[in-house]
């Protein structure tokens, strides 16, 4: 994949966590998408597998592109 910011090659990988992975408008003490209006759950928490979402890394400009439609668990 080409970086949409600098047009250089990106590396495919994952972002993972033992908790739910969310996008929120600001940082909250509790990380749960169902508690905050407008929050988007990128990958739900899985007790056995953890949570992960496909991501592309650009080492040249320091950007990460996340495709949360993949919802890897």
């Amino acid at each position: 994949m080409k970086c949409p910011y600098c047009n250089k090659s990106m590396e495919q990988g994952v972002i993972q966590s033992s908790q739910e992975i969310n996008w929120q408008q600001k940082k909250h003490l509790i990380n749960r998408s169902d508690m905050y209006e407008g929050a988007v759950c990128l990958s739900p928490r899985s007790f056995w597998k953890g949570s992960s979402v496909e991501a592309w890394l650009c080492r040249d400009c320091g950007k990460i592109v996340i495709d949360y439609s993949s919802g890897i668990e």
Side-chain angles (χ1 to χ4, degrees):
M1 175 177 193
K2 294 287 185 186
C3 178
Y5 295 92
C6 70
N7 206 36
K8 294 192 177 169
S9 291
M10 301 184 84
E11 296 175 48
Q12 184 178 10
V14 297
I15 293 177
Q16 66 183 55
S17 172
S18 60
Q19 301 297 317
E20 183 175 277
I21 300 173
N22 300 312
W23 177 91
Q24 301 171 144
Q25 292 177 331
K26 63 181 185 174
K27 186 176 178 179
H28 297 283
L29 183 60
I30 299 171
N31 183 31
R32 291 208 18 217
S33 62
D34 60 348
M35 294 180 66
Y36 306 105
E37 184 177 342
V40 176
C41 179
L42 305 179
S43 180
R45 180 179 182 268
S46 170
F47 181 76
W48 296 109
K49 298 178 184 177
S51 300
S52 62
V53 65
E54 184 178 331
W56 293 82
L57 170 72
C58 180
R59 292 186 187 267
D60 290 303
C61 70
K63 303 286 194 241
I64 294 176
V65 176
I66 297 172
D67 177 4
Y68 73 92
S69 68
S70 62
I72 301 168
E73 292 184 31

